[in-house]
Amino acid sequence: MQALVVDDSRAMRRMLGRYLGELGFVVAEADNGRQALDRLAEIPVPALLLVDWNMPEMNGLELVKAVRADKKFDGARIMMVTTESGADRVGDALACGANEYLMKPFTQDALRDKVELLGFAPSVASRSAPAVTPAVPAGDKFKVLLVDDSAVVRRLVGAALQEEPDIELETAENGSLALDKVASWSPDIVILDIEMPVMDGLTALSHLRQKWRQLPVVMFSTLTERGASVTLSALAAGASAYITKPSGHESIGAALGELRRSLVDQIHALCRRPGRLARPQAAAAPPAPVITTRPAPQNRIDAILIASSTGGPVALAEVVPRLPADLPVPVLIVQHMPELFTAMLAKSLDGKSPLAVREGHDGATVARGEVWLAPGGLHMEVRRQGGEVRLVTHDGPREQSVRPAADVLFRSAVEVYGGNLLAVVLTGMGRDALAGCEVVAGAGGQILAQDEATSVVWGMPGFVARANLANAVLPLDRIADEITARVARAPALSGRVLPR
């Protein structure tokens, strides 16, 4: 019987593969949902899929949805094998088509029992008592250095990451000790608090960037106005990304779950980008797909849409201030950030740009030459109301696990502007904007994607480029000029729906 194990931890794939092999399965592996879809096209239809939840490129829930959408796999049994323990997460997985759910860590007996519940009769009924805690060779682990002066935070992060077999955690109490630890231990990534005694995070970041320019550094920020402001300063000074410390959760379990997802996603995304690959992989990566571009339509441009996530604040600070003051169309932006952060980002961009940059709010009139940034925690759409175009913000369901989502904005923009759009997808983790770009392209709109070399994470633009939806794939420093040129090349402004 064929089985497919999908998990971004090589140690977990090896361990699950070994156990399934003992139960009579022929096992194939994939380290994320996108790669799993490619493997499914190559191997016999599997009888069983074991799927992790949190993975780069495409997570487990998205993979389950994709598999269940293909009738060829109707007979396949899917088991989620994950640390996600919330009842709502279990319900989401089962509702999307998973047949069973197994929590990490687990025993070999527990896995065997679940396999039997799915209707399989294993050829080997080996029983073993010890909990599954795979021994990962030190050279295969991602070395994570957490720098925070709070012992509580250090313990919380340790608890969040203790079940991740491919992560090794060390800590430091301030920036000065962190610099010593980086020199002696050579971590793959640094998680850096901002407010600390002896040496604060911004000072430590400056030293890190002077000596270890390629080392990923993630700022560990509080969800406050002060935290947002300093985090944006850190990103401008060279930090790779940021995560916010958990707050407002009903239980420690919920806080740990959110923290684990945020940390693991960033660690895997930033440590595995080209040029920063810190650990050898189980097998050679498949050949990169051929990236082609679509010929640019000749229709006019009535609005510009921009989507970004990890690395986005710095990318936006490169693009938005270089747009001309007489830009004859509005700019609508979705940047994945929490509330407070988007307000501070809009304020920062406004101070650097010839165009007015504001955080979006419900009912705002969209006019040419204005830039609107979706508010953190809310989707932003555009709607035509009489002779005007207005913003609509709401707390509808997350899409691609995010809110605001670019897909939501892009779909609404096509309803208002048809194909008279220029969509721009900048650096970011995940695949938000892919479905939206499919709608934009289908309507005849134009699409630009940031290239891999200048992206912090080539997730969002990479998905768009690999789907051959982009009219051009460009380095970051060429995108603002390309936007301006395409708007200028478009036919005359007559017929635009925008108010003056």
Side-chain angles (χ1 to χ4, degrees):
M1 292 179 291
Q2 180 73 53
L4 176 64
V5 174
V6 189
D7 198 299
D8 58 338
S9 164
R10 180 169 66 164
M12 187 61 68
R13 293 197 306 273
R14 284 177 173 175
M15 182 267 299
L16 287 170
R18 183 172 70 251
Y19 288 171
L20 289 179
E22 293 176 1
L23 299 176
F25 289 92
V26 176
V27 181
E29 297 180 7
D31 62 17
N32 61 64
R34 177 59 57 187
Q35 189 180 94
L37 293 179
D38 294 338
R39 294 291 284 141
L40 287 171
E42 301 166 355
I43 64 175
V45 174
L48 176 64
L49 288 84
L50 301 187
V51 180
D52 186 25
W53 191 300
N54 295 305
M55 298 180 289
E57 300 237 5
M58 178 188 286
N59 67 37
L61 196 64
E62 294 166 342
L63 173 60
V64 172
K65 291 178 182 177
V67 170
R68 287 305 183 214
D70 191 333
K71 292 187 178 299
K72 180 171 66 174
F73 302 110
D74 281 354
R77 298 298 186 192
I78 302 177
M79 186 191 309
M80 299 294 290
V81 184
T82 176
T83 57
E84 295 291 342
S85 58
D88 57 334
R89 308 290 274 184
V90 176
D92 288 345
L94 297 177
C96 288
N99 304 101
E100 268 297 344
Y101 205 97
L102 180 62
M103 300 303 304
K104 299 177 183 176
F106 52 86
T107 65
Q108 186 172 0
D109 287 350
L111 175 63
R112 180 182 182 279
D113 289 344
K114 290 285 188 179
V115 169
E116 289 181 337
L117 281 174
L118 290 173
F120 299 103
S123 60
V124 178
S126 59
R127 292 278 174 177
S128 59
V132 172
T133 309
V136 182
D140 290 342
K141 292 185 177 183
F142 293 113
K143 296 165 67 175
V144 178
L145 175 61
L146 169 68
V147 188
D148 199 298
D149 61 321
S150 167
V152 173
V153 170
R154 295 197 300 271
R155 285 197 298 269
L156 189 66
V157 172
L161 296 180
Q162 66 182 355
E163 297 174 0
E164 299 297 325
D166 62 347
I167 291 175
E168 180 180 357
L169 180 68
E170 290 283 346
T171 63
E173 297 176 13
N174 59 60
S176 180
L177 293 174
L179 296 176
D180 293 340
K181 180 67 79 171
V182 170
S184 64
W185 191 53
S186 299
D188 298 311
I189 189 169
V190 175
I191 312 297
L192 185 61
D193 188 25
I194 294 172
E195 306 288 352
M196 295 180 291
V198 184
M199 182 185 290
D200 64 32
L202 286 179
T203 304
L205 175 64
S206 176
H207 287 289
L208 288 170
R209 282 294 166 255
Q210 290 174 23
K211 192 168 183 180
W212 295 280
R213 296 184 61 84
Q214 297 303 311
L215 176 65
V217 178
V218 177
M219 305 308 295
F220 202 20
S221 175
T222 54
L223 193 56
T224 64
E225 185 170 333
R226 160 72 178 164
S229 177
V230 177
T231 298
L232 290 176
S233 297
L235 293 171
S240 310
Y242 74 94
I243 55 176
T244 55
K245 297 180 179 180
S247 63
H249 294 283
E250 296 180 355
S251 68
I252 188 66
L256 284 174
E258 178 189 319
L259 184 58
R260 182 185 301 115
R261 287 190 294 272
S262 299
L263 287 167
V264 171
D265 285 351
Q266 294 286 5
I267 290 166
H268 288 171
L270 292 169
C271 289
R272 291 182 176 178
R273 62 171 298 217
R276 295 185 183 177
L277 185 61
R279 296 290 171 258
Q281 301 299 297
V290 176
I291 304 297
T292 61
T293 55
R294 300 182 302 118
Q298 298 303 308
N299 49 307
R300 69 177 189 266
I301 295 171
D302 285 342
I304 297 163
L305 312 174
I306 301 179
S308 55
S309 184
T310 306
V314 173
L316 291 170
E318 168 73 19
V319 172
V320 175
R322 291 177 54 192
L323 298 176
D326 60 351
L327 188 74
V329 298
V331 181
L332 306 165
I333 302 173
V334 168
Q335 162 67 41
H336 299 158
M337 287 184 116
E339 57 182 333
L340 293 180
F341 281 64
T342 48
M344 296 299 298
L345 178 59
K347 181 179 179 181
S348 173
L349 292 173
D350 185 64
K352 300 172 182 175
S353 306
L355 300 170
V357 183
R358 305 172 201 167
E359 185 180 45
H361 59 87
D362 199 61
T365 300
V366 177
R368 61 189 62 178
E370 296 179 341
V371 181
W372 292 99
L373 178 69
L378 296 174
H379 291 307
M380 185 174 77
E381 301 186 50
V382 285
R383 304 266 176 86
R384 189 181 303 185
Q385 298 179 2
E388 296 182 326
V389 176
R390 293 185 178 273
L391 295 180
V392 175
T393 59
H394 60 87
D395 61 353
R398 294 175 180 268
E399 296 196 18
Q400 302 296 335
S401 301
V402 295
R403 187 176 60 226
D407 286 339
V408 174
L409 173 64
F410 285 22
R411 288 195 304 266
S412 72
V414 170
E415 291 294 320
V416 170
Y417 302 106
N420 299 326
L421 291 166
L422 173 58
V424 182
V425 184
L426 302 177
T427 175
M429 186 166 53
R431 58 193 308 224
D432 185 29
L434 174 61
C437 282
E438 290 173 345
V439 176
V440 171
Q446 302 182 43
I447 299 170
L448 304 178
Q450 186 176 347
D451 70 0
E452 185 172 10
T454 62
S455 294
V456 174
V457 177
W458 206 54
M460 291 164 55
F463 276 111
V464 171
R466 286 191 294 265
N468 300 325
L469 293 170
N471 301 111
V473 179
L474 300 170
L476 180 62
D477 62 3
R478 288 181 52 193
I479 287 177
D481 289 344
E482 186 68 18
I483 291 171
T484 304
R486 286 178 183 259
V487 171
R489 284 200 302 266
L493 304 183
S494 60
R496 295 190 189 276
V497 300
L498 296 172
R500 292 188 178 274

